[in-house]
């Protein structure tokens, strides 16, 4: 029996709100077998849950049907399957909407969907509670002939492992192959972040309009990451490394189908805009499934005072004192002041002479938040520091969400593929599981010999990519040469990280070395509070935490500079 041809699988969406034209660009840019669209993040599930409170039919990503209306005929003509998690909280509803669209356009496509991860009823008080499902429900839909597969909350990588398992006929216990597809899926899932978007060394290519990525996946689980010819951006070992480190933790990258060992990943150039991924090993998945819980955390409001010119610290102190009585009377649960020194001396514009003083209040009671910031801040307009003004007046208190993880056994979820003819196909739980034990720290390279150093920004010699997982943040830092890795592996310890990122000093910080990637990955627990929806921090998703780290100065060997 001949080996199936490599599967060419692309991405056209990395989040809810991504480039609307990407579906057409990918369909017309070159040959593909499958296109995947990732719409779901922790915050997106909360947005959809709040939408559903207003409209019971609003539980899926409304932008996807609009994209598909323009491109459904083209996808059918080219024989490209489309797999997306745009179903959000209502995959059955989105599948029905797509069938109606196809009937209206007269395009004969079959639509299937995956369901079973909705555990909201089992978690009272939540707006949405969904298990992260794996890829075998998607595989069952495709093997039954579906042209379009809609899911809800599956893992991001499942959008790739499902089509790969269907195409190659992989069995659930073929862990190395599945792990290879998971790694490829993790690179693709955020769209143009794999082709130069949000990349530390963005000046090395033209990233004004990066093309979306695709992977050529082989039967053994190895893959090549690339993009359509002539599209913007670039693909090299650095862009792939950056995305591999994004929102990950240690060497074991767990999922519902397989645990991929990130410490076994090997990357190598494979020509222009081509990077080969091979050597990935896999293990049985953990015994429990992750469930994301979204609930209403309370209400928040904020006001940003603009402080211009001289005496910035004194002006900030005056405002804090003037609002002290109002805050003491209303007593909100959480009051946060933050002075952002964007000002500089002898500035030639008013904006660059100004600093920002941000006040955020939170409370479970909407009225408390309203009293805390309602009239009190506005009443200072003629009675406070010279040059008083705010970016915008306080508005009504707005609700904010809280995200947390819980875990349930695989058997607690009914993972089902619903085929186009209405048949339900149950997806079996894994026959084998393995607890997520820590991986022993790998051997590190020999340190660089002593030599002259120069005080300089860390980012001159390393890249970084950071992101969020609930209330935690990760910062992956990688070197681009063996010599820089020898220095980085010994220099950027947990202690050094805490000195460079003072916010982390009183928080648990774990370092995970990944020598094959010449990288260290830091996980900082609790730095984002209750998650992105709570907007606990100036950068609530830690998107720029890595860039801040790269801007910090330390003594760097001159041979690396």
């Amino acid at each position: 029996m001949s080996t199936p041809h490599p599967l060419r699988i692309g991405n056209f969406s990395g989040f809810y709100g991504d480039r609307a034209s990407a579906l057409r660009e990918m369909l017309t840019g070159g040959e593909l077998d499958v296109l995947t669209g990732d719409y779901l993040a922790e915050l997106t599930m909360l947005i959809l849950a709040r939408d559903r409170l207003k409209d019971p039919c609003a539980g899926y990503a409304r932008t996807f049907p609009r994209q598909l209306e323009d491109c459904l005929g083209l996808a059918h003509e080219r024989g490209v399957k489309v797999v997306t998690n745009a179903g959000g909280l209502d995959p059955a509803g989105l599948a029905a909407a797509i069938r109606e669209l196809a009937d209206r356009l007269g395009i004969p496509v079959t639509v299937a969907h995956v369901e079973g991860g909705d555990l909201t009823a089992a978690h009272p008080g939540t707006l949405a509670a969904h298990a992260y499902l794996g890829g075998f429900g998607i595989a069952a839909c495709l093997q039954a002939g579906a042209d379009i597969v809609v899911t809800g909350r599956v893992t991001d990588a499942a959008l790739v492992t499902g089509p790969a398992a269907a195409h190659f006929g992989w069995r659930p216990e073929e862990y190395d192959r599945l792990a290879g597809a998971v790694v490829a899926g993790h690179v693709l899932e955020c769209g143009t972040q794999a082709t130069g978007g949000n990349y530390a060394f963005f000046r090395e290519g033209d990233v004004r309009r990066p093309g979306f990525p695709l992977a050529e996946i082989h039967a053994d689980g190895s893959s090549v990451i690339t993009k359509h010819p002539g599209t913007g951006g670039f693909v090299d070992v650095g862009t792939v490394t950056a995305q591999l480190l994004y929102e990950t933790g240690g060497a074991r990258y767990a999922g519902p189908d397989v645990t991929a060992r990130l410490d076994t990943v090997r990357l190598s150039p494979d020509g222009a805009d081509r990077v080969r991924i091979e050597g990935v090993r896999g293990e049985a998945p953990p015994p429990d499934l992750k469930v994301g819980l979204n609930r209403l955390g309370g209400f928040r409001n904020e006001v940003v005072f603009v402080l211009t010119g001289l005496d910035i610290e004194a002006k900030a102190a005056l405002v804090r004192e003037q609002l002290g009585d109002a805050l003491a009377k209303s007593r909100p649960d959480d009051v946060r002041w933050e002075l952002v020194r964007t000002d500089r001396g002898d500035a030639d514009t008013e904006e660059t002479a100004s600093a920002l003083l941000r006040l955020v209040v939170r409370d479970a009671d909407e009225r408390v938040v309203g009293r805390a910031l309602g009239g009190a801040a506005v009443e200072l307009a003629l009675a406070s520091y010279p040059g008083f003004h705010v970016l915008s007046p306080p508005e009504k208190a707005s609700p904010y969400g809280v995200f947390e993880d819980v875990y349930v056994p695989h058997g607690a979820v009914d993972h089902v593929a619903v085929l186009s003819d209405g048949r339900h196909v149950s997806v079996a739980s894994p026959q084998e599981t393995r607890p997520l034990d820590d991986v022993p720290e790998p051997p590190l390279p020999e340190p660089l010999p002593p030599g002259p150093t120069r005080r300089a920004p860390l980012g001159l010699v390393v890249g970084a990519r950071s992101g969020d997982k609930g209330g935690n943040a990760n910062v992956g830092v990688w070197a681009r040469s063996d010599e820089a890795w020898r220095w980085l592996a010994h220099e950027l310890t947990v202690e050094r990280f805490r000195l460079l990122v003072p916010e982390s000093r009183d928080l648990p910080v774990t370092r995970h070395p990944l020598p094959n990637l010449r990288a260290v990955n830091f996980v900082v627990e609790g730095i984002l509070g209750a998650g992105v929806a709570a907007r606990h921090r100036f950068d609530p998703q830690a998107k720029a935490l890595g860039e801040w780290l790269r801007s910090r100065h330390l003594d760097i060997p001159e041979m690396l500079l």
Side-chain angles (χ1 to χ4, degrees), residues 59 76 79 108 112 138 150 186 190 222 239 277 286 288 295 301 319 341 345 388 392 441 454 462 465 490 500 512 532:
H76 176 65
I138 296 170
V150 172
H186 183 57
C190 288
S222 65
T239 67
I277 302 176
D288 295 323
R295 58 181 174 82
N301 206 344
V319 174
R341 295 300 300 265
F388 180 98
S392 61
E441 181 159 318
R454 190 193 328 157
V462 302
R465 173 69 64 77
H490 297 277
L500 297 174
H512 303 281
V532 55

Side-chain angles (χ1 to χ4, degrees), residues 323-361:
L323 285 177
D325 286 345
L327 294 172
K329 288 176 182 177
S330 55
R331 297 197 300 179
D333 287 340
D334 186 42
V335 177
R336 293 180 183 270
W337 291 93
E338 187 173 19
L339 178 59
V340 184
R341 295 300 300 265
T342 53
D343 59 301
R344 62 173 183 259
D346 194 23
D348 55 8
T349 66
E350 184 176 333
E351 287 87 349
T352 54
S354 300
L356 302 177
L357 177 64
R358 181 170 177 251
L359 169 60
V360 179
V361 296

Side-chain angles (χ1 to χ4, degrees), residues 165-219:
H167 181 74
F168 295 112
W170 292 339
R171 300 182 303 277
E173 65 274 13
E174 294 186 80
Y175 299 130
D176 290 348
R177 292 180 169 89
L178 289 167
V182 164
V183 170
H186 183 57
V187 174
L188 294 187
E189 70 187 45
C190 288
T192 53
Q193 279 196 172
T195 58
N198 299 353
Y199 181 53
F201 304 104
F202 67 97
R203 292 188 296 175
E204 295 182 356
D206 183 354
V207 295
R208 289 173 294 176
R209 189 179 174 85
F212 278 69
L214 64 93
E216 300 167 356
I217 301 179
H218 295 263

Side-chain angles (χ1 to χ4, degrees), residues 234-530:
F234 60 103
V235 178
D236 63 17
V237 169
T239 67
V240 174
T241 299
Q243 181 55 29
L244 277 178
L245 294 172
Y246 181 62
E247 294 182 347
T248 60
R252 286 191 164 100
Y253 185 61
D257 298 321
V258 64
T259 294
R261 289 291 297 264
L262 298 183
D263 55 343
T264 64
V265 176
R266 297 199 306 271
L267 305 179
S268 59
D270 192 59
D273 290 317
R274 293 175 61 85
V275 173
R276 180 170 295 279
I277 302 176
E278 56 193 346
V280 185
R281 302 298 301 273
E283 300 169 344
D288 295 323
L289 285 174
K290 176 181 173 180
V291 180
L293 305 183
N294 285 279
R295 58 181 174 82
L296 184 64
F299 296 86
R300 72 183 299 280
N301 206 344
E302 71 175 84
V303 61
V304 180
F305 303 90
V306 182
L307 317 174
T308 304
L310 306 177
D311 305 319
I312 296 294
E313 299 283 350
K315 290 172 180 174
L318 175 58
V319 174
R320 296 186 63 160
E321 186 173 357
Q322 288 179 309
L323 285 177
D325 286 345
L327 294 172
K329 288 176 182 177
S330 55
R331 297 197 300 179
D333 287 340
D334 186 42
V335 177
R336 293 180 183 270
W337 291 93
E338 187 173 19
L339 178 59
V340 184
R341 295 300 300 265
T342 53
D343 59 301
R344 62 173 183 259
D346 194 23
D348 55 8
T349 66
E350 184 176 333
E351 287 87 349
T352 54
S354 300
L356 302 177
L357 177 64
R358 181 170 177 251
L359 169 60
V360 179
V361 296
R362 293 184 178 85
D363 196 273
D365 189 333
E366 182 177 6
R367 294 167 299 178
V368 170
V369 173
R371 287 195 300 268
L373 277 189
V378 176
E379 290 169 2
L380 296 179
L382 304 179
S384 190
Y385 59 87
F388 180 98
H389 65 286
V390 295
L391 289 185
S392 61
E395 299 178 352
K396 291 182 179 179
S398 60
Y400 69 88
V402 171
F403 177 87
E404 62 179 312
D405 298 337
V406 297
Y407 292 84
V408 299
H410 285 267
V413 173
D414 295 322
H415 188 178
V416 176
V418 183
L419 307 183
S420 59
D421 59 7
R423 284 181 295 148
H424 285 54
V425 178
S426 294
V427 178
S429 299
Q431 296 298 304
E432 179 186 7
T433 61
R434 174 175 178 165
L436 286 175
D437 300 325
D438 291 335
V439 174
E441 181 159 318
L444 297 178
E446 288 293 317
L448 286 180
T453 62
R454 190 193 328 157
R455 196 79 175 168
L458 176 62
L460 294 183
V461 293
V462 302
R465 173 69 64 77
S466 56
D468 64 313
K469 279 295 182 186
N472 302 337
N474 93 287
V475 186
V477 184
W478 79 93
R480 302 210 289 174
S481 69
D482 290 337
E483 292 77 14
W485 168 236
R486 290 173 62 187
W487 174 76
L488 175 67
H490 297 277
E491 176 67 20
L492 198 55
T493 61
V494 168
E495 292 72 23
R496 178 74 70 187
F497 182 92
R498 284 196 168 112
L499 288 173
L500 297 174
V501 182
E503 288 178 85
S504 68
R505 287 179 183 172
D506 298 323
L507 298 173
V509 179
T510 307
R511 185 182 102 142
H512 303 281
L514 297 168
N516 278 12
L517 300 178
R518 295 191 297 221
V520 286
N521 200 8
F522 293 90
V523 177
V524 187
E525 298 179 33
I527 193 171
L528 303 180

